[in-house]
C-alpha cells in the first residue's frame, strides 16, 4: 500500500539519504539492481519465501518484510526451495525454538545444491544472545541475522551482506524509533493487522516477550488513523489492532490518549466494518473500554482475555496483578454490558509450584466464564525470566494429566456454547475458499468463530447472512440465507 515510491527515480550513484524511510528506499533501489542482474544470469525471476512462527505481531512483521522483498523484485513463494528464505522466529516457548533449528538443518541441504541461496533469520529468537552464538557456531551458512527492532532495515542489511562475504549480524537491544511508511504486502486483501504499539512493560514472570520485544512504545494516534484510512481506501473492511497489552495504549505518549479514545476515532473511519484487537491484559481493561465496545457498531463481539491461571496465589507469582476474584468480577461486568460477547483466553498449566488446589482454581474459572475458545500451554522455562529461577519440582506426568483434563473441559464447554446458536442467522465475513473442500467458503462471525458454507469466490471480503445449520466442535456449517 505504500508502494508509491518510484525506485527508478532514485539516484543510486549518490550517497544514501540521512533520514528514514528515504534511506531504505535508496537501498531497495540498490537491491533491485542486484535482483535484476541475477535474473539475467539465471534467466528467470527470483523467489522469496518467508516462514513465520509465533503470534500476530510476527505475522504483521512478515507482511512488512515481504513488502520490502517484493519491492526489491522478488516473487513471493511458499516453497523453501527459493532464492531467498527467511525464518521470522518466535521464542515464547521452547518448542518454537526447536522447530527453527530443525528447519535450519534442512535448509543447509538446500543451500549445498543452490549456493547462491540467501538465508536470513529474524524475529524474537534472534534477540537472545545464546541463540545468535549457536547460529554462529553451528549454522555458519546463514547469511543474515537481525532482530525485532530493525526489520525496517531489511533492504540495507541485504545490500550490506552482499558487499561482504560472511554472515551479517545486526541485533539491537531496544529502540525508541518507530519507522513508518514502508511497503507492506498483506496476506488478505480485505483484512489487515495494524500495530498500535510495540514491546511490553509487564514482565509477567514466565514471559520472555519484554526481553525480546523491548519497552512499550505506542504509535501516534494520527499515524494509526492515517494507516487505517489508507487501508480502508485500499478495500480493507476488517482491522485487527495489535499490541501485547492494548489496554495500556497511549499512556506513555507526550499527549496521552486512552485505548478507548483511539477506538472511538477508528470507529469514524468510513469503509471499516469490523474492528478487533489483541491482546487485552485484564489488569488494564477499563470501564471506558467496555462502554465504547458496548456502544460501537463496528467493534467485534470478541474479547481475548488471557487468564494464565485461576489461582490468586499463582497469579501473584506470575506477576499478573489481578486475582481470581477480580478477573471473575471483570468478566461479569463485560457479560452484563455485552451478553453476546465471545470470550477467549490463554492458560498456562504446570507453572513451577502449581498445586492441585491451584489447578482446581483454574478449572473453576474456566467453568464459571464459559470461554468460546482457549489456548492452553504447558509451562516452558525461558532463560532470563524470573520464573526460570524457581525450582520446578512438578513431574511431567502430573502436568500432562492436568493439561488433558483442562483441554477436555474447555472443549466440552465451548462445544455446548457454540451449539446454542445453531438455527440462527448470523453475519459472516467471508474470508477464503476452504482448503479441504473447494465448494465451501470459510468466514468468521463477529465473535471470531469460523463458519463454512457453500458459496463462490464473489463472496470473499463481503459480509454475508448465513444460517448456522450445524455446530461441529469449534466451528459451524451454514448456508447462505436468502430472506
Ligand atoms: N501479551 C499477551 C501474551 C503474549 S504470549 C498477554 O499478556 O496475554 C502468548 C501466550 O503464551 C501467553 O498468554 C501465555 O499464555 C503463553 N506463554 C507465554 N510465556 C510462556 C511460557 N514461558 N510457557 C508457556 N506459555 C507461555
Ligand atoms: Fe508476556 Fe505478560 Fe507482556 Fe503478555 S503482558 S507479553 S504475557 S509479559
Ligand atoms: Fe513469539 Fe515474539 Fe510473538 S516470542 S509470541 S513471536 S512477540
Amino acid at each position: 500500500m505504500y508502494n508509491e515510491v518510484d525506485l527508478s527515480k532514485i539516484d543510486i550513484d549518490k550517497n544514501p539519504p540521512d533520514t528514514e524511510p528515504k534511506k531504505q528506499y535508496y537501498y531497495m533501489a540498490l537491491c533491485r539492481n542486484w535482483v535484476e542482474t541475477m535474473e539475467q544470469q539465471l534467466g528467470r525471476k527470483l523467489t522469496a519465501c518467508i516462514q513465520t512462527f509465533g503470534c500476530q505481531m510476527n505475522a504483521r512483521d512478515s507482511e512488512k518484510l515481504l513488502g520490502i522483498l517484493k519491492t526489491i523484485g522478488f516473487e513471493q513463494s511458499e516453497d523453501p526451495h527459493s532464492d531467498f528464505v527467511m525464518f521470522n522466529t518466535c521464542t515464547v516457548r521452547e518448542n518454537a525454538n526447536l522447530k527453527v533449528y530443525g528447519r535450519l538443518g534442512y535448509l543447509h541441504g538446500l543451500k549445498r545444491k543452490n549456493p547462491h541461496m540467501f538465508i536470513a533469520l529474524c524475529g524474537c529468537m534472534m534477540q537472545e544472545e545464546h541463540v545468535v552464538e549457536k547460529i554462529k557456531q553451528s549454522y555458519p551458512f546463514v547469511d543474515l541475522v537481525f532482530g525485532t527492532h530493525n526489520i525496517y532495515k531489511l533492504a540495507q542489511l541485504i545490500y550490506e551482506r552482499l558487499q561482504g562475504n560472511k554472515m551479517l549480524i545486526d541485533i539491537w537491544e531496544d529502540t525508541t524509533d518507530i519507522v513508518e511508511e514502508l511497503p507492506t504486502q498483506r496476506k488478505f486483501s480485505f483484512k489487515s493487522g495494524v500495530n498500535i504499539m510495540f514491546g511490553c512493560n509487564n514482565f509477567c514472570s514466565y514471559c520472555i516477550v519484554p526481553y525480546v520485544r523491548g519497552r512499550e512504545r505506542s504509535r501516534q494516534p494520527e499515524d494509526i488513523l492515517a494507516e487505517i484510512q489508507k487501508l480502508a481506501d485500499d478495500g480493507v473492511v476488517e482491522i485487527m489492532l495489535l499490541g501485547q497489552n492494548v489496554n495500556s495504549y497511549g499512556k506513555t505518549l507526550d499527549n496521552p490518549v486512552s485505548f478507548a479514545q483511539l477506538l472511538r476515532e477508528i470507529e469514524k473511519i468510513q469503509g471499516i466494518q469490523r474492528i478487533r484487537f489483541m491482546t487485552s491484559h485484564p489488569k488494564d481493561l477499563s470501564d471506558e473500554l467496555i462502554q465504547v465496545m458496548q456502544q460501537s457498531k463496528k467493534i467485534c463481539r470478541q474479547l481475548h482475555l488471557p487468564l494464565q491461571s485461576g489461582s490468586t496465589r499463582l497469579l501473584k507469582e506470575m506477576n499478573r496483578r489481578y486475582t481470581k476474584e477480580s478477573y471473575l468480577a471483570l468478566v461479569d461486568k463485560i457479560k452484563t454490558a455485552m451478553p453476546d460477547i465471545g470470550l477467549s483466553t490463554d492458560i498456562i498449566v504446570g507453572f513451577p509450584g502449581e498445586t492441585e488446589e491451584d489447578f482446581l482454581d483454574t478449572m473453576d474459572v474456566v467453568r464459571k466464564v464459559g470461554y468460546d475458545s482457549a489456548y492452553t500451554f504447558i509451562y516452558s522455562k525461558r532463560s532470563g525470566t524470573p520464573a526460570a529461577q524457581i525450582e520446578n519440582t512438578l513431574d511431567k506426568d502430573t502436568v500432562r494429566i492436568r493439561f488433558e483434563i483442562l483441554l477436555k473441559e474447555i472443549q466440552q464447554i465451548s462445544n455446548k456454547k457454540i451449539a446454542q446458536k445453531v438455527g440462527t442467522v448470523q453475519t459472516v465475513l467471508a474470508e477464503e475458499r476452504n482448503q479441504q473442500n473447494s465448494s465451501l467458503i470459510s468466514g468468521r462471525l463477529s465473535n471470531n468463530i469460523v463458519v463454512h458454507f457453500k458459496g463462490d469466490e464473489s463472496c470473499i471480503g463481503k459480509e454475508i447472512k448465513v444460517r448456522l445449520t450445524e455446530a461441529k466442535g469449534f466451528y459451524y456449517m451454514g448456508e447462505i440465507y436468502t430472506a
Side-chain angles (χ1 to χ4, degrees):
M1 112 179 140
Y2 297 113
N3 303 350
E4 293 142 13
V5 176
D6 184 352
L7 294 190
S8 63
K9 296 219 170 80
I10 296 175
D11 186 352
I12 50 175
D13 297 324
K14 278 193 184 158
N15 284 333
D18 293 328
T19 52
E20 299 293 4
K22 273 196 181 143
K23 191 170 171 183
Q24 294 312 313
Y25 282 100
Y26 168 87
Y27 282 107
M28 283 182 232
L30 279 173
C31 287
R32 186 184 272 187
N33 260 7
W34 172 76
V35 168
E36 281 168 1
T37 312
M38 287 298 288
E39 279 174 3
Q40 277 164 10
Q41 274 178 23
L42 298 168
R44 60 170 175 83
K45 288 275 183 193
L46 295 194
T47 56
C49 163
I50 303 184
Q51 295 194 351
T52 309
F53 303 80
C55 66
Q56 312 239 11
M57 295 280 178
N58 259 18
R60 183 65 180 150
D61 284 352
S62 287
E63 291 185 342
K64 296 178 184 173
L65 293 162
L66 189 60
I68 296 173
L69 291 174
K70 281 199 126 176
T71 308
I72 289 174
F74 284 101
E75 283 194 344
Q76 182 183 358
S77 164
E78 303 296 322
D79 186 351
H81 293 80
S82 284
D83 302 296
F84 187 104
V85 179
M86 173 146 67
F87 292 162
N88 188 4
T89 62
C90 169
T91 188
V92 78
R93 287 170 292 276
E94 196 186 4
N95 52 9
N97 271 35
L98 297 177
K99 257 191 226 161
V100 169
Y101 291 126
R103 292 199 198 175
L104 266 178
Y106 176 67
L107 281 193
H108 194 194
L110 297 185
K111 188 157 178 166
R112 274 203 207 102
K113 286 186 216 139
N114 186 7
H116 82 263
M117 184 177 180
F118 193 114
I119 300 178
L121 299 175
C122 64
C124 296
M125 221 175 128
M126 302 305 132
Q127 292 292 137
E128 294 180 278
E129 245 170 67
H130 67 94
V131 170
V132 176
E133 232 8 81
K134 181 163 172 168
I135 287 163
K136 278 202 277 191
Q137 298 300 326
S138 311
Y139 304 92
F141 56 89
V142 169
D143 294 286
L144 172 62
V145 178
F146 60 105
T148 55
H149 303 301
N150 50 351
I151 61 163
Y152 71 89
K153 271 182 70 183
L154 177 62
Q156 184 178 349
L157 293 171
I158 294 176
Y159 181 74
E160 285 172 0
R161 166 66 188 90
L162 292 171
Q163 300 308 101
N165 56 4
K166 63 176 197 325
M167 184 189 296
L168 178 71
I169 300 174
D170 190 18
I171 311 282
W172 302 358
E173 245 177 56
D174 204 346
T175 183
T176 47
D177 291 352
I178 299 178
V179 178
E180 310 256 352
E181 301 285 304
L182 282 161
T184 50
Q185 178 65 42
R186 290 196 308 274
K187 189 168 170 207
F188 294 96
S189 60
F190 56 89
K191 71 171 182 177
S192 179
V194 175
N195 298 106
I196 62 167
M197 60 207 296
F198 302 93
C200 181
N201 284 353
N202 288 307
F203 292 96
C204 302
S205 67
Y206 50 82
C207 184
I208 199 160
V209 172
Y211 305 90
V212 295
R213 285 272 171 179
R215 294 293 59 73
E216 188 179 293
R217 306 172 295 287
S218 293
R219 284 177 74 196
Q220 293 295 339
E222 51 280 16
D223 291 338
I224 298 171
L225 293 169
E227 181 178 347
I228 298 174
Q229 181 65 63
K230 270 193 181 174
L231 288 166
D233 295 344
D234 198 34
V236 167
V237 293
E238 177 176 313
I239 50 159
M240 166 76 93
L241 306 174
L242 298 172
Q244 293 298 353
N245 177 9
V246 292
N247 299 330
S248 73
Y249 169 79
K251 288 185 181 162
T252 52
L253 289 171
D254 290 341
N255 296 314
V257 180
S258 71
F259 180 52
Q261 281 170 307
L262 177 71
L263 281 170
R264 276 205 191 95
E265 293 307 311
I266 295 174
E267 176 102 17
K268 294 178 195 156
I269 298 177
Q270 271 204 359
I272 296 297
Q273 295 165 6
R274 285 182 163 189
I275 304 169
R276 300 185 193 275
F277 49 85
M278 78 183 302
T279 302
S280 281
H281 196 306
K283 78 177 166 64
D284 295 312
L285 200 148
S286 66
D287 289 349
E288 190 195 8
L289 175 64
I290 298 177
Q291 198 188 16
V292 169
M293 286 183 79
Q294 188 186 20
Q295 291 165 352
S296 168
K297 294 205 165 49
K298 296 185 178 176
I299 302 175
C300 288
R301 287 295 190 248
Q302 172 208 4
L303 194 60
H304 185 65
L305 199 59
L307 169 67
Q308 313 300 2
S309 168
S311 152
T312 297
R313 188 188 76 81
L314 272 197
L315 286 169
K316 194 155 195 289
E317 294 272 310
M318 290 175 163
N319 192 29
R320 288 293 287 180
R321 286 172 278 175
Y322 52 86
T323 63
K324 176 183 182 184
E325 291 69 31
S326 69
Y327 184 95
L328 285 171
L330 179 63
V331 167
D332 268 348
K333 208 162 25 171
I334 295 166
K335 282 185 177 168
T336 308
M338 293 167 283
D340 56 344
I341 192 96
L343 290 168
S344 58
T345 199
D346 291 344
I347 298 172
I348 297 175
V349 178
F351 184 82
E354 183 188 71
T355 62
E356 193 60 23
E357 205 183 339
D358 294 324
F359 176 67
L360 291 176
D361 271 329
T362 299
M363 292 287 284
D364 189 39
V365 176
V366 163
R367 289 192 191 107
K368 286 190 168 127
V369 175
Y371 295 105
D372 278 18
S373 66
Y375 300 90
T376 47
F377 307 106
I378 288 183
Y379 169 75
S380 170
K381 178 173 165 178
R382 307 314 290 134
S383 61
T385 62
Q389 305 296 322
I390 313 173
E391 199 194 343
N392 193 356
T393 49
L394 274 170
D395 76 278
K396 278 197 171 142
D397 289 343
T398 311
V399 175
R400 176 60 50 200
I401 291 168
R402 285 182 191 161
F403 182 80
E404 267 149 30
I405 294 174
L406 178 66
L407 205 62
K408 213 161 155 204
E409 186 71 25
I410 287 166
Q411 275 165 356
Q412 273 171 4
I413 295 171
S414 68
N415 289 359
K416 224 192 262 166
K417 271 210 79 185
I418 287 178
Q420 287 166 1
K421 277 213 172 88
V422 171
T424 63
V425 175
Q426 303 285 337
T427 307
V428 176
L429 180 70
E431 295 199 337
E432 59 192 343
R433 185 163 284 296
N434 187 292
Q435 276 159 15
Q436 273 89 46
N437 178 345
S438 64
S439 70
L440 297 177
I441 295 290
S442 306
R444 281 171 198 274
L445 299 178
S446 171
N447 67 10
N448 210 32
I449 296 176
V450 171
V451 183
H452 306 294
F453 59 96
K454 272 217 158 51
D456 58 53
E457 248 150 53
S458 65
C459 302
I460 293 177
K462 296 195 185 118
E463 287 196 318
I464 312 274
K465 292 266 179 232
V466 173
R467 181 191 293 282
L468 307 177
T469 51
E470 203 183 342
K472 295 240 187 195
F474 52 91
Y475 65 89
Y476 294 104
M477 299 305 294
E479 55 195 25
I480 294 181
Y481 176 71
T482 39

